[in-house]
Amino acid sequence: MGIKERKEREKERRRQQILVAAKRVFVNKGFGKATMEDIANEAELSPGTLYLYFKSKDELCASLSVRILEYLIIRMEHLNGEKMLDTKQKIFQLKKALLDVYEFDPLIFRNLFYLKSSEAVQQLSPELLDEINALACTAMDKMTSFFETGTRKETGVCRHPREITEILWAMFYGLVLWGKDTNAPDQKDENERLEKIVSRAFEIFERGVYV
Amino acid sequence: MGIKERKEREKERRRQQILVAAKRVFVNKGFGKATMEDIANEAELSPGTLYLYFKSKDELCASLSVRILEYLIIRMEHLNGEKMLDTKQKIFQLKKALLDVYEFDPLIFRNLFYLKSSEAVQQLSPELLDEINALACTAMDKMTSFFETGTRKETGVCRHPREITEILWAMFYGLVLWGKDTNAPDQKDENERLEKIVSRAFEIFERGVYV
Amino acid sequence: MGIKERKEREKERRRQQILVAAKRVFVNKGFGKATMEDIANEAELSPGTLYLYFKSKDELCASLSVRILEYLIIRMEHLNGEKMLDTKQKIFQLKKALLDVYEFDPLIFRNLFYLKSSEAVQQLSPELLDEINALACTAMDKMTSFFETGTRKETGVCRHPREITEILWAMFYGLVLWGKDTNAPDQKDENERLEKIVSRAFEIFERGVYV
Amino acid sequence: MGIKERKEREKERRRQQILVAAKRVFVNKGFGKATMEDIANEAELSPGTLYLYFKSKDELCASLSVRILEYLIIRMEHLNGEKMLDTKQKIFQLKKALLDVYEFDPLIFRNLFYLKSSEAVQQLSPELLDEINALACTAMDKMTSFFETGTRKETGVCRHPREITEILWAMFYGLVLWGKDTNAPDQKDENERLEKIVSRAFEIFERGVYV
DNA sequence: CATGAATGAGATTTCATTCAT
DNA sequence: CATGAATGAAATCTCATTCAT
């Protein structure tokens, strides 16, 4: 039945449309101060409609993380496709990937933070919570295996791929969250600034990983 | 007038008492979901009383950051007292200092993040905002000068003390915020876990900073 | 036009099907808390469809009463068919009839009460309101005339058939509404309990009606 | 501490004031259609204030029943004070008492009905639910014991005091609920009508109770 | 200073109803 | 006819803030 599928697709598109609108609102107002009405207005829908797609405001917020984690995982899978890299190259590739993800959605880290901050977590439906946790795990695992596969055939470098992964991730996370100047005049400047400092950080780090 | 001073001191003590209570509440509920009544109950005061010491909920939240930044600065000043350290030792000392600050107030980074996240910033009184910005700058400056003074007499290492400071800070910030597992069974376990990964991170980093 | 009639019949059948579903929902949720969507789900129809058969939720509710009043009237007409009964027998027959009606639809009294309770009445369409009032009157009249015809040929007993009717009706109504234990384990037990106390009540009453 | 007691009293008075306002609103609009705002306006308070005294709308509604059941119990206790009555007199006294209760609050029965109708019951706090159930039981017990004490010394009459109690109560309940004409021009007329039919009912009933 | 009852604006959420398909 | 997504008004309830005591 083509008709059922089309409906399905449209429904999913509408969901995405709402998420996009929500993201725009959150960027300006922050999660706490944004209202469902704001989001509805931005999405050019009525408040009630949001509830056809998301059980509650908290679930809507959390769903943003799903979207972005999915993108992150895809990016990590791409990385894993590239074989025959040494650790140095890998760190470089990871940096590039993370900066891409950030550019795709600069809100991602604030989002993940919000999610982790126990603010909302408690009243999410178990299903959604499980989904998010699974995605976050998968993302981390993919990153880790990226380092694992590459490093086995080398000189004993990078013996703790999991920790390296976590540290690099945290470093990026920290640079984004801390550096984020709310009053930045321009997203472009902001991105440049970030790229510069991240590059420096990964550079230093990369030297440190080598024995 | 001793009497005036005593009043002053008592007033300040009461302020601190409220901040302590607020911190306890925020740990559990998050900034957004905590109510003034929650805080008042925790402080064993009435809601109205809070407004004798803080202009608004947002100012109260922001004041928590002041408290912690002050402690951070003190800690950094101590560091600066210790002369004749090479970069390696400095990084080690900084790590220790940051872990101490974290132990003093594990909430500090969520706090600072909340402050940066534009959620509330916009409606803070300019005075408070200025104070916080000044404190944050001072803290960063102290950290930077810690690296500067140390490194001049050395081998050209650490030519970008400001960036190193920012990166180390962000790395720590990231490790704390990301690693923070809301459902951690025990603060002590949590602390140990953090210390371990932070040590590893600073270790790698320290190797990278050396030429 | 047989085709028109068939359409008509089918339409009426669909109406009944909706009413049956509505009744099931109301039993569990009560009139106020039940939603049109609940009813639509129960009837395996879409919410929109309900409005093809009923002007509004209130009209749907009210229509339930119509259904049951019609059954009540039919039952009363049967009673009137049985001639040559003395008051004692009549009271017994009435009891039986009422218990039958109750078994046919245990919700009937809550229904009628809801209708009387001014909750909705005010916004019903005049036509429906008139219909219901007419039916209620007819039902009462039939009951009354049941006593009238019987008692004329007797010994001056039962000189106020109208009042007797009303009292018996109210007594039954009260026993049902009051006794109705929402948490009753079982409709069957419930029915037995009701029959027992109703029998006792009519027994006493019957002795009292005789001079 | 007189001051604490005074506060206590004032708080209780305010609660009563809200209940009185709620009653007035419910008489006009019915439980389902009345809004918290309606009640707040009637009580000349703000909507938020209602929630300082009642956890939810449902709890407010249910609390009306508490008030009235308490009055009912008091009235029943008075009855029990009067010794040396035969059953006939007792029935007469009970009738008078019930009519008094009705006059004190004509809404009582609709209230109790609402409470029983499962509409709200499910989401009441267990404490309130227990309190109401206990009160309803007490009321019934007092009525029953009124018949018991009196009848022991008599001629074997009234061997089922519990059932008699229940039947009389239900009869009254039914007469009130059914008779209640929402469009009654005047409460006074209404009361007279009720008194007349109730008297007739109890008269008949009383003859029936005697062997 | 401290209180805490009251406020009332505003947030989330629900749901009867409509209408394009 | 039937659908069910969308609506949007309205309801419930929350909570930062105020103010009379």
Side-chain angles (χ1 to χ4, degrees):
Chain A
M1 272 290 86
I3 204 166
K4 197 158 196 171
E5 281 169 17
R6 198 196 39 153
K7 289 261 178 182
E8 207 65 29
R9 264 205 323 280
E10 274 173 10
K11 179 149 184 153
E12 184 52 29
R13 188 151 45 198
R14 180 54 61 96
R15 254 184 74 98
Q16 294 303 325
Q17 168 195 349
I18 293 172
L19 287 174
V20 168
K23 207 167 63 177
R24 277 200 299 270
V25 175
F26 288 149
V27 169
N28 295 326
K29 298 247 221 165
F31 295 90
K33 309 263 181 199
T35 72
M36 289 302 263
E37 210 185 341
D38 292 333
I39 299 169
N41 286 341
E42 182 70 30
E44 297 183 317
L45 291 169
S46 78
T49 306
L50 303 188
Y51 287 86
L52 296 177
Y53 295 90
F54 301 94
K55 277 211 276 286
S56 69
K57 186 190 175 188
D58 281 332
E59 295 242 353
L60 196 164
C61 294
S63 296
L64 277 173
S65 297
V66 170
R67 202 174 124 87
I68 207 64
L69 283 171
E70 282 169 351
Y71 183 74
L72 178 63
I73 288 170
I74 289 171
R75 223 49 192 68
M76 293 300 117
E77 277 167 354
H78 280 185
L79 280 192
N80 279 318
E82 310 196 38
K83 301 291 179 190
M84 293 307 173
L85 302 173
D86 58 22
T87 305
K88 186 171 180 169
Q89 290 169 313
K90 278 173 183 286
I91 287 177
F92 181 77
Q93 293 295 334
L94 181 61
K95 185 193 79 178
K96 256 183 50 187
L98 291 179
L99 282 168
D100 276 1
V101 171
Y102 175 74
E103 203 160 358
F104 174 74
D105 181 2
L107 202 59
I108 172 175
F109 296 93
R110 270 170 65 192
N111 229 322
L112 289 173
F113 171 77
Y114 179 73
L115 205 63
K116 288 185 86 72
S117 74
S118 88
E119 196 97 333
V121 170
Q122 311 179 23
Q123 33 219 341
L124 293 182
S125 65
E127 305 93 58
L128 183 56
L129 212 50
D130 287 350
E131 187 186 359
I132 288 172
N133 281 332
L135 285 172
C137 274
T138 305
M140 277 294 161
D141 288 348
K142 296 248 184 252
M143 268 192 256
T144 305
S145 75
F146 175 52
F147 282 102
E148 271 170 339
T149 54
T151 50
R152 282 215 196 87
K153 39 187 149 173
E154 286 187 51
T155 55
V157 167
C158 196
R159 282 168 315 198
H160 306 285
R162 184 66 186 199
E163 279 181 328
I164 291 202
T165 300
E166 285 187 5
I167 291 166
L168 280 172
W169 170 260
M171 191 164 71
F172 189 74
Y173 188 66
L175 285 166
V176 168
L177 287 184
W178 180 255
K180 184 70 189 171
D181 188 348
T182 344
N183 308 322
D186 187 355
Q187 187 63 41
K188 198 146 158 296
D189 293 1
E190 178 66 22
N191 285 358
E192 272 176 29
R193 193 203 61 79
L194 183 69
E195 189 176 338
K196 216 173 122 222
I197 190 116
V198 167
S199 294
R200 174 84 62 182
F202 274 65
E203 221 171 79
I204 295 174
F205 198 85
E206 173 245 308
R207 282 203 297 273
V209 168
Y210 275 110
V211 178
Chain B
M1 271 289 86
I3 210 169
K4 196 159 196 173
E5 282 168 16
R6 201 203 40 181
K7 289 263 180 178
E8 207 64 30
R9 264 204 325 280
E10 276 175 6
K11 177 146 185 159
E12 184 52 29
R13 188 152 48 200
R14 179 60 61 97
R15 260 181 71 96
Q16 293 304 322
Q17 169 194 346
I18 292 171
L19 287 174
V20 168
K23 205 166 67 177
R24 277 201 298 269
V25 174
F26 288 149
V27 170
N28 294 325
K29 299 246 223 162
F31 295 90
K33 309 260 183 204
T35 71
M36 289 300 262
E37 208 187 340
D38 290 333
I39 299 169
N41 286 342
E42 183 71 29
E44 296 183 318
L45 291 170
S46 80
T49 306
L50 302 188
Y51 287 84
L52 297 175
Y53 296 90
F54 301 93
K55 276 213 274 290
S56 71
K57 187 190 178 189
D58 282 334
E59 296 241 354
L60 196 163
C61 294
S63 298
L64 276 174
S65 297
V66 171
R67 199 174 127 87
I68 207 65
L69 283 171
E70 283 170 349
Y71 183 74
L72 179 63
I73 288 170
I74 289 172
R75 223 49 191 69
M76 292 302 117
E77 278 168 351
H78 279 187
L79 281 192
N80 279 319
E82 309 197 39
K83 304 292 178 187
M84 294 305 173
L85 301 173
D86 58 21
T87 304
K88 184 170 182 171
Q89 289 168 314
K90 278 175 184 287
I91 288 177
F92 182 77
Q93 292 297 333
L94 182 61
K95 185 194 80 178
K96 256 183 52 186
L98 291 178
L99 283 168
D100 275 1
V101 171
Y102 175 74
E103 203 159 359
F104 174 73
D105 180 2
L107 204 58
I108 173 173
F109 297 95
R110 267 171 64 192
N111 239 321
L112 289 174
F113 172 76
Y114 178 73
L115 206 62
K116 290 185 85 70
S117 74
S118 86
E119 199 92 339
V121 169
Q122 311 176 22
Q123 36 217 343
L124 293 182
S125 65
E127 306 93 58
L128 183 56
L129 210 49
D130 289 349
E131 185 184 0
I132 288 172
N133 280 334
L135 284 172
C137 275
T138 304
M140 276 297 162
D141 288 348
K142 296 245 185 251
M143 266 193 257
T144 305
S145 73
F146 174 52
F147 281 102
E148 272 171 339
T149 54
T151 51
R152 285 213 195 89
K153 42 188 147 174
E154 284 188 50
T155 56
V157 167
C158 196
R159 281 168 314 196
H160 307 284
R162 184 65 185 198
E163 280 182 326
I164 292 201
T165 301
E166 283 187 6
I167 292 167
L168 280 173
W169 170 259
M171 190 164 72
F172 190 74
Y173 189 68
L175 285 167
V176 167
L177 287 184
W178 180 256
K180 185 69 189 172
D181 187 347
T182 339
N183 308 322
D186 186 356
Q187 187 62 42
K188 199 146 156 295
D189 293 1
E190 178 66 22
N191 286 356
E192 272 176 28
R193 193 201 62 78
L194 183 68
E195 189 177 338
K196 218 173 123 223
I197 189 114
V198 167
S199 294
R200 174 84 61 182
F202 274 65
E203 220 171 79
I204 296 174
F205 198 86
E206 174 243 307
R207 282 203 298 271
V209 169
Y210 276 111
V211 178
Chain C
M1 273 285 86
I3 209 168
K4 195 160 195 171
E5 280 169 17
R6 201 203 41 179
K7 289 263 181 179
E8 205 65 30
R9 262 205 326 280
E10 276 175 8
K11 177 148 184 157
E12 182 53 27
R13 188 150 47 197
R14 179 60 61 97
R15 261 181 68 97
Q16 293 304 322
Q17 169 194 347
I18 293 172
L19 287 174
V20 168
K23 204 167 67 176
R24 276 200 299 269
V25 174
F26 289 149
V27 169
N28 293 325
K29 299 246 224 164
F31 296 89
K33 310 262 183 204
T35 72
M36 288 301 262
E37 208 186 340
D38 291 333
I39 299 168
N41 286 342
E42 183 70 30
E44 296 181 317
L45 291 169
S46 79
T49 306
L50 302 188
Y51 287 85
L52 298 174
Y53 297 90
F54 300 94
K55 276 213 276 289
S56 71
K57 186 188 177 191
D58 283 334
E59 296 240 355
L60 196 163
C61 294
S63 297
L64 276 173
S65 296
V66 170
R67 201 174 125 86
I68 208 65
L69 283 172
E70 283 169 351
Y71 183 74
L72 179 63
I73 288 170
I74 290 172
R75 222 50 190 69
M76 291 303 116
E77 278 168 351
H78 279 187
L79 280 192
N80 279 317
E82 309 196 39
K83 303 290 179 188
M84 292 306 173
L85 301 173
D86 57 23
T87 304
K88 185 171 181 171
Q89 288 169 313
K90 276 172 185 286
I91 287 175
F92 181 77
Q93 292 297 334
L94 181 62
K95 184 193 80 177
K96 254 183 54 186
L98 291 177
L99 282 170
D100 275 0
V101 171
Y102 175 74
E103 203 159 358
F104 173 74
D105 180 3
L107 204 59
I108 174 175
F109 297 95
R110 267 172 65 193
N111 240 321
L112 290 173
F113 172 76
Y114 179 72
L115 207 63
K116 289 186 82 74
S117 74
S118 86
E119 204 82 347
V121 170
Q122 310 177 24
Q123 36 217 341
L124 293 182
S125 64
E127 306 92 61
L128 182 57
L129 209 52
D130 287 350
E131 185 184 1
I132 288 172
N133 281 333
L135 285 171
C137 274
T138 306
M140 276 296 161
D141 287 348
K142 297 246 184 249
M143 265 193 258
T144 305
S145 75
F146 174 52
F147 281 103
E148 272 172 338
T149 54
T151 50
R152 282 214 196 89
K153 41 186 148 176
E154 283 189 51
T155 56
V157 167
C158 197
R159 283 168 312 197
H160 307 283
R162 184 66 184 198
E163 280 182 327
I164 290 198
T165 300
E166 285 187 5
I167 291 167
L168 280 173
W169 170 258
M171 189 163 73
F172 190 73
Y173 189 69
L175 284 167
V176 168
L177 287 184
W178 180 255
K180 185 71 189 169
D181 187 347
T182 339
N183 309 322
D186 186 357
Q187 186 63 42
K188 198 145 158 295
D189 292 1
E190 179 66 23
N191 286 356
E192 273 176 27
R193 193 201 62 76
L194 183 68
E195 188 177 339
K196 220 175 121 221
I197 189 111
V198 167
S199 294
R200 174 84 61 180
F202 275 65
E203 221 171 78
I204 295 175
F205 198 85
E206 173 244 307
R207 282 204 297 271
V209 168
Y210 276 111
V211 177
Chain D
M1 273 288 87
I3 205 167
K4 197 157 196 171
E5 282 170 16
R6 199 196 37 155
K7 289 263 178 180
E8 206 66 28
R9 263 204 324 279
E10 273 172 11
K11 180 149 183 152
E12 183 52 30
R13 187 151 47 197
R14 179 56 60 98
R15 255 184 72 98
Q16 294 305 323
Q17 167 194 347
I18 293 171
L19 288 174
V20 168
K23 206 166 64 175
R24 275 201 299 269
V25 174
F26 288 148
V27 169
N28 295 325
K29 296 245 218 165
F31 294 91
K33 308 264 181 198
T35 73
M36 289 301 261
E37 209 185 340
D38 291 334
I39 298 170
N41 286 342
E42 182 71 29
E44 298 184 315
L45 292 169
S46 78
T49 305
L50 303 188
Y51 288 87
L52 296 177
Y53 295 89
F54 300 94
K55 278 211 274 288
S56 69
K57 186 190 176 188
D58 282 333
E59 296 241 355
L60 197 164
C61 294
S63 296
L64 277 173
S65 297
V66 169
R67 203 175 123 87
I68 206 66
L69 283 172
E70 281 169 352
Y71 183 73
L72 178 63
I73 288 171
I74 289 172
R75 221 52 189 70
M76 291 302 117
E77 276 168 352
H78 279 186
L79 280 192
N80 279 318
E82 309 197 39
K83 303 291 179 189
M84 293 307 171
L85 303 172
D86 57 23
T87 303
K88 184 171 182 171
Q89 289 168 314
K90 276 173 186 286
I91 288 176
F92 180 77
Q93 292 296 333
L94 181 62
K95 185 194 78 178
K96 255 182 53 187
L98 291 178
L99 283 169
D100 275 1
V101 171
Y102 175 73
E103 201 159 1
F104 174 73
D105 180 3
L107 203 59
I108 174 174
F109 296 94
R110 272 170 62 192
N111 230 320
L112 289 173
F113 171 76
Y114 179 74
L115 206 63
K116 287 187 88 73
S117 74
S118 87
E119 194 97 335
V121 170
Q122 310 178 24
Q123 33 218 342
L124 293 182
S125 65
E127 305 93 58
L128 183 55
L129 212 50
D130 287 350
E131 187 186 357
I132 289 172
N133 281 332
L135 285 172
C137 274
T138 306
M140 276 296 163
D141 287 347
K142 296 246 186 255
M143 267 192 255
T144 305
S145 75
F146 174 53
F147 281 103
E148 271 171 338
T149 53
T151 49
R152 283 214 197 89
K153 41 187 148 171
E154 285 188 49
T155 55
V157 167
C158 194
R159 280 166 316 196
H160 307 285
R162 184 66 186 198
E163 281 182 324
I164 291 201
T165 301
E166 285 186 5
I167 291 167
L168 281 172
W169 170 258
M171 191 164 71
F172 190 74
Y173 188 66
L175 285 167
V176 168
L177 287 184
W178 181 255
K180 184 71 189 170
D181 188 348
T182 343
N183 308 323
D186 186 357
Q187 187 63 43
K188 198 146 159 294
D189 292 2
E190 177 66 23
N191 286 356
E192 269 175 31
R193 192 202 61 80
L194 182 69
E195 188 176 340
K196 216 172 125 224
I197 190 113
V198 167
S199 292
R200 174 82 62 179
F202 274 65
E203 218 172 81
I204 295 175
F205 198 85
E206 173 244 307
R207 282 203 297 271
V209 168
Y210 275 111
V211 178

